């Protein structure tokens, strides 16, 4: 792992101030631009024992431990459902039953960690992501830690929804706002990684390269084909049949495709060019003709709300069905 090319400058700037860094940072920015990679690379650079141009050297003992995932002065706190290796859960739906929140016990365990001195006599770095997953009690426990910052410790919160954090937590962090990288840099990175149709994927992802890389996977392309096929039906989506057997991951992607599709419909309806589904112009034009602009804008707001709810345990089938019916109401005139 090395820094994403569009992060190098910001990383070097932060890591270069290692002696004057605040105790807590809040890394924000759109989903899919590499905030987690940024936080990890920052940690690696701060822990590195012989940094090169302020970034991790990749060769010292500290960098080696980090690369193997067992640096004693690094901790990453995530919801149970996001823990690594979980993608291969042997039991169908096992992921759905795991916790989506960061619990108070996880934050309390940090208290034990920071009361010890660091193993390598340097920094200790704790990454918490996504910070909005902190349960209220866990957030309050973290606040206490931030109010009395432990020595030689940098806490890095990662969030694409910082408005959902406690204001008291936000105010104790220095915000590092990451932006969507320049299109050329993103395309170059995608092509180097072997992603098929990088331009299409990047447009679908609204310019976010890591999301684009995920969306370029065959199974993701297949799912998009299915959702767009449903949204393109001249007689309206078959909401009930479509939503049967839905799980949360499918709902998350469906909401993404509906959001980008409705956004494109609004643009086409207002005589503009689509931004995401560039390869579906005829269907977009056909659907835009009968759709009501006012209703599309209302649906956009509803989809934003749905995206927020996706991270909560809920009945994915019912939500998908409801959204598809709302779509029909907006597009069948
Ligand atoms: Zn190193």
């Amino acid at each position: 792992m090395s820094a994403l090319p569009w992060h190098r400058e910001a990383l070097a700037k932060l890591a270069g101030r290692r002696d004057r860094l605040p105790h807590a940072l809040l890394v924000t920015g759109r989903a899919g631009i590499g905030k987690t990679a940024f936080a990890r690379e920052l940690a690696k650079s701060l822990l590195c024992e012989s940094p090169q141009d302020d970034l991790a050297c990749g060769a010292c003992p500290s960098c080696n431990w980090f690369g193997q995932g067992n640096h004693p002065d690094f901790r990453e706190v995530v919801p149970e459902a996001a823990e690594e290796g979980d993608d291969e859960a042997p039991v169908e739906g096992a992921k759905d039953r795991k916790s989506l929140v960061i619990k108070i016990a996880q934050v309390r365990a940090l208290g034990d960690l920071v009361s010890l001195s660091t193993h390598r006599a340097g920094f200790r770095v704790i990454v918490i992501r996504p910070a909005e997953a902190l349960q209220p009690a866990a957030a309050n426990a973290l606040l206490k830690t931030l109010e009395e910052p432990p020595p030689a410790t940098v806490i890095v919160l990662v969030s694409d929804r910082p408005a959902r954090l406690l204001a008291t937590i936000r105010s104790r962090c220095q915000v590092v706002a990451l932006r969507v990288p320049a299109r050329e840099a993103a395309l170059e990175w995608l092509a180097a990684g072997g992603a098929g149709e990088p331009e299409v994927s990047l447009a679908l992802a609204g310019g976010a390269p890591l999301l684009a890389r995920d969306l370029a996977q065959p199974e993701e392309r297949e799912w998009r084909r299915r959702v767009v096929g449903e949204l393109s039906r001249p007689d309206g989506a078959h909401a009930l049949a479509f939503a049967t057997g839905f799980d949360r991951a499918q709902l998350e992607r469906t909401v993404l495709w509906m959001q980008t599709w409705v956004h494109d419909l609004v643009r086409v309806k207002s005589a503009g060019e689509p931004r995401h589904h560039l390869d579906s112009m005829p269907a977009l034009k056909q659907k835009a003709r009968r759709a009501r602009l006012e209703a599309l804008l209302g649906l956009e707001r509803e989809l934003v709300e749905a995206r927020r709810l996706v991270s909560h345990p809920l009945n994915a089938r019912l939500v998908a069905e409801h959204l598809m019916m709302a779509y029909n109401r907006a597009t069948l005139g």
Side-chain angles (χ1 to χ4, degrees), residues 18-66:
R18 61 186 68 226
D19 300 326
R20 292 164 287 132
L21 266 191
H23 298 287
L25 299 169
L26 171 58
V27 178
T28 65
R30 284 258 314 274
I33 59 172
K35 294 187 297 300
T36 297
F38 182 93
R40 287 179 181 159
E41 197 61 31
L42 176 64
K44 191 178 172 187
S45 300
L46 292 176
L47 295 169
C48 175
E49 287 163 23
S50 55
Q52 310 284 309
D53 298 327
D54 295 318
L55 297 180
C57 73
C60 70
S62 179
C63 283
N64 280 329
W65 282 327
F66 199 95

Side-chain angles (χ1 to χ4, degrees), residues 72-210:
D73 295 319
F74 176 70
R75 244 351 116 76
E76 195 163 302
V77 182
V78 296
E80 213 181 21
E83 270 167 20
E84 255 176 274
D86 199 62
D87 289 344
E88 288 143 44
V91 186
E92 187 82 3
K95 194 165 182 169
D96 271 12
R97 286 194 298 275
K98 287 202 168 178
S99 174
L100 292 166
V101 296
I102 297 174
K103 295 174 177 167
I104 187 167
Q106 292 174 274
V107 175
R108 283 204 179 123
L110 293 178
D112 298 338
L113 173 77
V114 299
S115 64
L116 307 168
S117 58
T118 60
H119 288 75
R120 298 291 291 182
F123 277 108
R124 170 190 290 122
V125 185
I126 297 166
V127 170
I128 300 178
R129 68 176 181 92
E132 66 270 17
L134 285 160
Q135 277 193 320
N140 279 312
L142 178 66
L143 188 57
K144 289 208 180 73
T145 307
L146 296 178
E147 280 166 346
E148 292 164 36
T153 301
V154 178
I155 297 177
V156 185
L157 303 178
V158 177
S159 176
D160 43 40
R161 298 171 185 127
R164 291 175 63 195
L165 303 180
L166 286 181
T168 41
I169 286 191
R170 276 203 312 270
S171 69
R172 280 181 173 77
C173 298
Q174 180 186 314
V175 174
V176 180
L178 299 180
R179 280 194 288 272
V180 171
R183 188 166 172 277
E184 290 312 313
L187 285 176
E188 200 176 303
W189 179 80
L190 281 169
E197 301 187 327
E199 306 211 353
V200 175
S201 305
L202 193 63
L204 290 170
L210 278 77

Side-chain angles (χ1 to χ4, degrees), residues 223-242:
W223 187 255
R224 173 184 164 245
R225 203 189 53 74
R226 203 180 140 193
V227 176
V228 165
E230 204 61 42
L231 297 172
S232 304
R233 285 183 196 276
D235 60 334
H238 298 173
L240 271 69
F242 175 76

